[in-house]
Amino acid sequence: MVTMAERWAALLMRTGSNKEKQNILWNMAGSFCYAFASMVLSFLVMGLAGEDDGGIFAFGYSTFGQQMFILAYFGIRPFQITDGEQEYRFGDYLRHRYMTCAAALAAGAGYLLVSGYTARKAAVIFLLVCYKVADGFADVYESEFQRNGNLHLTGKSNTFRTILSVGTFLGALLGSGNLLSACKAAVGAQIVGIILFDVIVLRRLEGVDYGWDKSRMGALTGGTFLLFVSVFLDFYIFSAAKYSIDAYMNDAASGYFNIIFMPTSVINLAAGFVIRPVLTGLTDMWNGKRFDEFAGKLLGISRIIGALSVLALVLAAGLGRPVLWVLEQILGGMYEGKLTGNHVPFILIVMGGACYAFLNLHYYALVIMRRQKAIFGIYLVLTGAAAVLAPIFVKRGGILGAAAVYLILMGLMAFGFGAWTWAGILRSRQAGRGG
């Protein structure tokens, strides 16, 4: 007798005649839903719950919660999806994710205990940490879908979990007007989504080994530790201005900064569409010692990113103020001048987002060139710079200072990655010709 769970899994696993096309389409749908929700949620909360709650949500969801997501995620996805030889079983990855998620929850709780926040603010942010950690837990299933050749299931999980949890959150916020209650509802919906779209479905896939070996946990941690630290530091540098706003300004300022920060999501998404398709070709060129081709392709992509960045900057300068004014009208009369008054920081953030797109390309180039130590060194230096500069700029300049330090940090990191990449290419060219 076919159970309800088996029928549900079969419905989600259905692909039609062209599985490859479904893999691509659902992966794009999942990425878009996730990015779109991250971009607009804080804006919606500010409109529905007010500027202070909007600021608390913005910090908890897109900054501290996301930092704890990275701890739960541990940078393992690229490692797991490329583990085609089954060096580690799914059970190994699953048990390891239990540990990293527990560590993320403990770290989040520990930070909040010493943060000096009000009990309500701490409770809201902890619930958002729980939401993001659950997202990090779902990733171990979604990575296994991809490793198993079912990327469409990864996309479906991402799409439907996002719709379910975000829809539940907004519905609860509209119905109750209480941010704390809405966050509780969102966490509950996230857990239900993981069960429906991940746990039940993976159980029905063939070739998934749930066995595990306790002695392998140390090796798995060691093999992915540098990946985790690099991603963790990268996000801290990216978010240093937001942390300083939370520490030295009011909650409303976090909300306003998060709104004018939205273009970075669009820039990163656009840059990803440009960068990701060429990574395989760049890898083949480098491994084949075709250094001139590698340099030419890298330069070509840099020019495309540069052109898109100039376009984004022109739009931000010319249309930024009217767009911010429209957002103010949507939020309501009490927000008059709160966003348009931040037009200059908005432009600086767009410039910083362009630098981040450029450094992202050269980060991947350094990964292809196997310069992990250089990557880690740059992150380490910039983490120190961010910890020193961000508080100074925010204390002295408020939101304008936060935008300025974001631009400075992204510019320095772009310079570091770019300089190291091109120095490595020149050395390899010279070594090749000398041989």
Side-chain angles (χ1 to χ4, degrees):
M1 181 178 177
V2 180
T3 66
M4 186 67 73
E6 288 170 332
R7 288 175 181 163
W8 174 252
L11 178 65
L12 288 172
M13 290 164 62
R14 191 177 301 160
T15 61
S17 58
N18 193 334
K19 183 178 180 179
E20 197 60 38
K21 183 179 179 181
Q22 290 293 304
N23 280 341
I24 294 170
L25 291 176
W26 277 109
N27 187 50
M28 287 177 64
S31 298
F32 175 79
C33 279
Y34 192 85
F36 184 75
S38 298
M39 188 168 60
V40 304
L41 258 181
S42 297
F43 174 77
L44 294 175
V45 173
M46 183 170 277
L48 293 171
E51 61 178 10
D52 288 331
D53 273 2
I56 292 171
F57 177 86
F59 178 75
Y61 183 84
S62 65
T63 305
F64 187 66
Q66 189 66 19
Q67 193 89 54
M68 293 304 99
F69 164 83
I70 291 170
L71 176 52
Y73 165 76
F74 212 75
I76 282 183
R77 183 172 195 149
F79 191 92
Q80 183 178 349
I81 63 178
T82 56
D83 183 14
E85 299 300 317
Q86 301 284 324
E87 179 184 358
Y88 295 96
R89 295 172 289 183
F90 172 68
D92 295 320
Y93 289 112
L94 183 62
R95 287 335 183 271
H96 190 271
R97 196 61 59 96
Y98 287 152
M99 294 191 300
T100 59
C101 287
L105 289 173
Y111 175 84
L112 293 171
L113 283 173
V114 299
S115 64
Y117 295 153
T118 64
R120 181 178 179 277
K121 180 176 178 178
V124 168
I125 292 178
F126 184 70
L127 285 169
L128 292 170
V129 167
C130 292
Y131 179 91
K132 286 290 188 174
V133 169
D135 209 18
F137 179 74
D139 175 79
V140 74
Y141 284 89
E142 293 170 359
S143 298
E144 191 65 16
F145 288 145
Q146 187 170 355
R147 184 168 75 145
N148 197 267
N150 290 284
L151 185 59
H152 67 287
L153 293 177
T154 301
K156 286 179 180 178
S157 171
N158 224 341
T159 301
F160 297 139
R161 278 193 308 104
T162 301
I163 292 171
L164 175 63
S165 60
V166 171
T168 300
F169 170 77
L170 290 175
L173 187 58
L174 276 168
S176 68
N178 187 308
L179 181 59
L180 189 62
S181 298
C183 289
K184 290 177 183 177
V187 173
Q190 180 79 293
I191 294 169
V192 170
I194 292 169
I195 294 169
L196 287 177
F197 305 115
D198 295 315
V199 177
I200 290 175
V201 179
L202 191 67
R203 282 285 178 188
R204 269 68 191 175
L205 284 182
E206 296 180 1
V208 178
D209 189 346
Y210 282 83
W212 70 293
D213 184 348
K214 184 179 179 180
S215 66
R216 307 221 64 197
M217 293 298 98
L220 182 55
T221 301
T224 55
F225 185 73
L226 269 184
L227 284 171
F228 155 67
V229 173
S230 293
V231 174
F232 192 85
L233 294 182
D234 173 74
F235 186 77
Y236 170 75
I237 298 163
F238 183 79
S239 304
K242 294 183 179 181
Y243 277 110
S244 291
I245 287 175
D246 179 70
Y248 302 110
M249 298 181 71
N250 58 27
D251 291 328
S254 289
Y256 293 128
F257 189 77
N258 210 68
I259 290 175
I260 63 172
F261 205 77
M262 286 195 298
T264 59
S265 298
V266 178
I267 293 170
N268 291 341
L269 199 61
F273 285 132
V274 174
I275 294 169
R276 289 187 191 119
V278 303
L279 293 179
T280 302
L282 283 170
T283 303
D284 292 340
M285 290 172 196
W286 184 260
N287 291 339
K289 300 187 184 303
R290 305 197 311 270
F291 302 126
D292 288 340
E293 286 183 53
F294 182 87
K297 176 62 85 173
L298 200 62
L299 193 58
I301 300 301
S302 296
R303 285 172 178 156
I304 293 173
I305 291 174
L308 290 173
S309 299
V310 170
L311 176 61
L313 188 56
V314 169
L315 291 174
L319 298 177
R321 192 178 293 277
V323 169
L324 293 173
W325 180 83
V326 170
L327 293 178
E328 287 177 352
Q329 305 314 302
I330 295 172
L331 287 171
M334 67 175 287
Y335 294 96
E336 191 74 36
K338 298 290 181 66
L339 297 178
T340 51
N342 286 306
H343 184 221
V344 173
F346 179 79
I347 294 172
L348 295 180
I349 286 169
V350 170
M351 292 171 66
C355 290
Y356 190 79
F358 178 83
L359 74 87
N360 209 25
L361 170 65
H362 289 80
Y363 164 83
Y364 281 116
L366 287 172
V367 170
I368 291 169
M369 296 161 69
R370 295 296 185 259
R371 302 290 194 269
Q372 286 94 329
K373 289 182 180 178
I375 293 171
F376 182 71
I378 292 168
Y379 278 142
L380 207 57
V381 170
L382 265 295
T383 297
V388 172
L389 294 177
I392 293 172
F393 274 73
V394 170
K395 284 179 183 178
R396 293 182 179 178
I399 287 179
L400 177 60
V405 79
Y406 170 72
L407 172 58
I408 290 168
L409 292 171
M410 295 306 101
L412 288 173
M413 197 150 56
F415 175 80
F417 281 127
W420 213 275
T421 297
W422 287 98
I425 291 171
L426 288 173
R427 283 195 300 269
S428 298
R429 275 172 161 175
Q430 290 168 356
R433 285 165 186 161

